């Protein structure tokens, strides 16, 4: 499980391999010029997430073994920069999804998470405790503008204006193109982290009305640090988009970012919690009860004192 | 600080076995286990890899990475560590035993 990054391996990225189950375990068959066809056994139970890149094929048996061990499998673009599809293991806990929905459905709590997100970006104590969303948007706009100005000055490129209009894509400056490309990579990684936690990418706190709203929320936490400086450094590039993607992949130690994203999401959704969760194999389904909270499932609750004597619709 | 190390040494010269058994326990043939300092570990590994000849050896020791350990190998081995963006897995060629029929 991803939340237990401390004791399991976070991510394995594979591309141009065939993943299959043999008599002993799940293995990847890797063909390289130097070593020919080689077999690599995957430590399925120790992995929290497997990213399958382009050129991968996987057998149904291998996929079900991974699912049985609670490993999330994601189909991603080259280098993990886009997330096309994901399998969620049956045993993946819904506790983070429930926290997300609880904090999202209540306007007060939702504003609290939005405020915590701004504090994460601009430092604690930078947002007044009673700031409204309108004020937060104002703070954010001013901060980001100042950041652009600072970097524009640093790289001596006069005036910079963010523009991501798809209509005029071709005649944009290199910084805008590089920033759009690098942000797309960042969205893919964030999407993978959200899905691997079992959260919904669609329920955002600041953004809303889009299947990726939560992805945009979380990605915003890292742009000032990761993608914006990267884009400005490519201001003289002739092929800014491809170069942005390559730098993002090579230079930023992509897979060290994922555990950080997970920890940040957990902290936002559960500021007071320690992130220990039970072993998914041991966990039975809980039944919801508005008064007692979660009560254990797998138990016959039919005995004892039931006040509700109405006939059951299926057994009149 | 001393930490546990594990060395597997196959077909190495006798004098090397002597050197290893001075520091480590040979718990099962060719497998040495012990707790030594990083300096002793490096010295032992230098002498193992210098006199490996036709043999082969692997060293595993605790390290501050995600997996919690690192591997070093010497000699020509059928299995060798492969790096997957910082994650070390073992690759090897299946020679005679094909488990899947060719398509």
């Amino acid at each position: 499980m991803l939340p237990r990054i401390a004791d399991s391996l976070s991510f394995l990225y594979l591309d141009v391999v065939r993943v299959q189950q043999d008599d002993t375990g799940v293995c990847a068959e890797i063909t390289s010029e130097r070593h020919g066809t080689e077999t690599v056994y995957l430590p399925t139970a120790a992995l929290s997430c497997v990213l399958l890149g382009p050129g991968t094929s996987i057998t149904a048996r291998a996929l079900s073994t991974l699912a049985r061990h609670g490993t999330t499998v994601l189909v991603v673009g080259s280098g993990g920069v886009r997330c096309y599809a994901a399998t969620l293991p049956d045993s993946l806990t819904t506790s983070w999804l429930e926290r997300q929905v609880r904090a999202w459905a209540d306007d007060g709590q939702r504003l609290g998470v939005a405020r915590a997100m701004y504090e994460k970006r601009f430092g604690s104590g930078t947002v007044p405790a009673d700031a409204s969303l309108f004020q937060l948007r104002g703070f954010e706009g001013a901060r980001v503008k100042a950041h652009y100005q600072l970097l524009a000055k640093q790289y001596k490129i006069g005036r910079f204006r963010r523009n991501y209009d798809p209509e005029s894509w071709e005649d944009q400056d290199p910084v805008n193109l590089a920033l759009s490309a690098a942000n797309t990579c960042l969205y893919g990684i964030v999407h993978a982290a959200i899905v691997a936690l079992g959260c919904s990418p669609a329920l955002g706190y600041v953004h809303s009305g889009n299947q990726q709203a939560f992805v945009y929320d979380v990605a915003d936490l890292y742009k000032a640090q990761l993608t914006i400086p990267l884009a400005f450094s490519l201001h003289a590039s002739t092929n800014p988009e491809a170069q942005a993607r390559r730098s993002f992949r090579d230079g930023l130690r992509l897979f060290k970012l994922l555990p950080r994203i997970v920890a940040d999401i957990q902290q936002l959704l559960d500021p007071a919690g320690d992130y220990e969760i039970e072993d998914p194999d041991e966990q039975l389904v809980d039944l919801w009860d508005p008064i007692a909270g979660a009560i254990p499932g797998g138990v016959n609750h039919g005995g004892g004192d039931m006040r509700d004597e109405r006939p059951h619709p299926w057994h009149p | 600080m001393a930490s546990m190390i594990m060395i597997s040494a196959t077909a190495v010269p006798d004098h090397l076995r002597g050197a290893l058994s001075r520091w480590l326990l040979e718990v099962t043939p060719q497998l040495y286990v012990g707790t030594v300092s990083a300096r002793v570990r490096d010295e032992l590994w230098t002498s193992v890899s210098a006199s490996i000849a036709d043999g082969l050896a692997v060293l595993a020791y605790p390290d501050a990475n995600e997996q919690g350990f690192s591997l070093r190998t010497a000699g020509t081995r059928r299995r060798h560590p492969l790096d997957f963006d910082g994650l070390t897995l073992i690759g090897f060629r299946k020679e005679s035993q094909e488990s899947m029929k060719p398509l």
Side-chain angles (χ1 to χ4, degrees):
Chain A
M1 295 296 273
L2 194 55
R4 294 178 308 165
I5 276 188
D7 51 308
S8 74
L9 307 169
S10 54
F11 284 85
L12 171 67
Y13 174 77
L14 295 170
D15 58 9
V16 206
V17 295
R18 179 178 162 79
V19 182
Q20 63 188 36
Q21 164 102 46
D22 68 7
D23 303 337
T24 37
V26 175
C27 57
E29 300 219 311
I30 298 175
T31 309
S32 65
E33 273 180 37
R34 221 176 111 218
H35 297 291
T37 298
E38 282 185 312
T39 304
V40 178
Y41 280 97
L42 308 183
T44 42
L47 281 168
S48 48
C49 191
V50 176
L51 305 175
L52 299 178
T56 315
S57 61
I58 184 165
T59 62
R61 270 187 76 201
L63 195 55
S64 49
T65 302
L66 286 163
R68 210 164 37 237
H69 286 113
T71 308
T72 306
V73 179
L74 300 167
V75 181
V76 297
S78 178
V81 294
R82 247 182 230 184
C83 182
Y84 297 113
T87 65
L88 287 179
D90 220 16
S91 56
L92 185 66
T93 173
T94 56
S95 62
W96 288 105
L97 180 62
E98 283 165 20
R99 281 203 185 91
Q100 184 192 7
V101 172
R102 198 169 281 278
W104 179 85
D106 179 89
D107 281 351
Q109 284 190 52
R110 187 173 172 180
L111 185 59
V113 174
R115 211 177 280 134
M117 283 175 166
Y118 283 107
E119 290 224 324
K120 218 172 223 330
R121 287 170 70 181
F122 305 120
S124 61
T126 49
V127 183
D130 57 347
S132 67
L133 260 180
F134 174 76
Q135 284 174 298
L136 288 176
R137 278 195 295 270
F139 291 140
E140 195 239 358
R143 289 262 183 177
V144 172
K145 208 170 145 192
H147 193 54
Y148 285 156
Q149 274 171 358
L150 183 77
L151 282 163
K153 211 168 152 188
Q154 204 177 320
Y155 287 100
K156 301 188 177 67
I157 37 174
R159 244 177 112 250
F160 172 76
R161 212 164 151 257
R162 180 73 178 119
N163 178 8
Y164 39 79
D165 181 9
E167 299 293 316
S168 59
W169 188 257
E170 292 303 315
D171 31 275
Q172 281 173 20
D173 56 283
V175 178
N176 267 307
L177 288 173
L179 189 50
S180 297
N183 281 346
T184 309
C185 303
L186 182 60
Y187 295 146
I189 299 164
V190 169
H191 193 157
I194 290 172
V195 168
L197 265 175
C199 287
S200 161
L203 298 179
Y205 294 86
V206 179
H207 296 84
S208 116
N210 181 297
Q211 280 296 327
Q212 302 243 68
F214 193 45
V215 176
Y216 298 146
D217 274 7
V218 177
D220 273 351
L221 300 176
Y222 311 104
K223 282 181 186 169
Q225 225 181 329
L226 300 178
T227 55
I228 297 175
L230 169 68
F232 274 89
S233 73
L234 296 175
H235 63 93
S237 170
T238 48
N239 192 356
E241 289 163 271
Q243 235 175 318
R245 278 192 289 267
R246 186 163 305 129
S247 314
F248 198 82
R249 225 175 269 158
D250 300 343
L252 290 171
R253 307 199 35 113
L254 202 59
F255 300 104
K256 289 278 178 265
L257 184 64
L258 275 159
R260 204 178 123 197
I261 297 172
V262 170
D264 284 344
I265 295 174
Q266 289 175 326
Q267 216 203 348
L268 285 167
L269 297 183
D270 183 23
D274 53 351
Y275 308 126
E276 283 297 315
I277 53 156
E278 301 122 273
D279 202 321
D281 297 336
E282 307 294 323
Q283 211 177 334
L284 283 166
V285 179
D286 288 335
L287 302 176
W288 181 67
D289 186 297
I291 299 147
I295 54 173
V299 175
N300 190 340
H301 294 278
D305 185 21
M306 289 197 299
R307 289 270 175 261
D308 196 356
E309 299 288 349
R310 282 171 298 181
H312 195 279
W314 298 332
H315 306 283
Chain B
M1 218 193 72
S3 55
M4 186 174 149
I5 69 168
M6 191 282 296
I7 292 178
S8 161
T10 309
V12 293
D14 283 346
H15 68 87
L16 188 61
R17 306 207 162 277
L20 288 174
S21 59
R22 248 166 267 150
W23 293 94
L24 309 166
L25 291 181
E26 188 168 1
V27 289
T28 185
Q30 308 169 351
L31 183 69
Y32 298 84
V33 175
T35 302
V36 295
S37 69
R39 179 139 174 213
V40 171
R41 177 193 70 212
D42 289 343
E43 291 290 334
L44 280 175
W45 185 247
T46 312
S47 51
V48 169
S49 42
S51 52
I52 192 74
D54 296 330
L56 43 93
V58 62
L59 162 72
Y61 60 97
D63 205 354
N65 55 29
E66 195 187 15
Q67 281 166 300
F69 65 87
S70 283
L71 294 175
R72 287 190 214 167
T73 58
T76 40
R77 307 172 56 82
R78 203 154 72 95
R79 286 166 192 264
H80 59 102
L82 285 174
D83 180 69
F84 289 84
D85 304 299
L87 198 66
T88 305
L89 299 179
I90 301 294
F92 67 103
R93 252 200 300 278
K94 278 185 178 170
E95 261 141 22
S96 50
Q97 36 157 48
E98 271 296 323
S99 63
M100 291 284 288
K101 287 194 188 84
L103 293 170

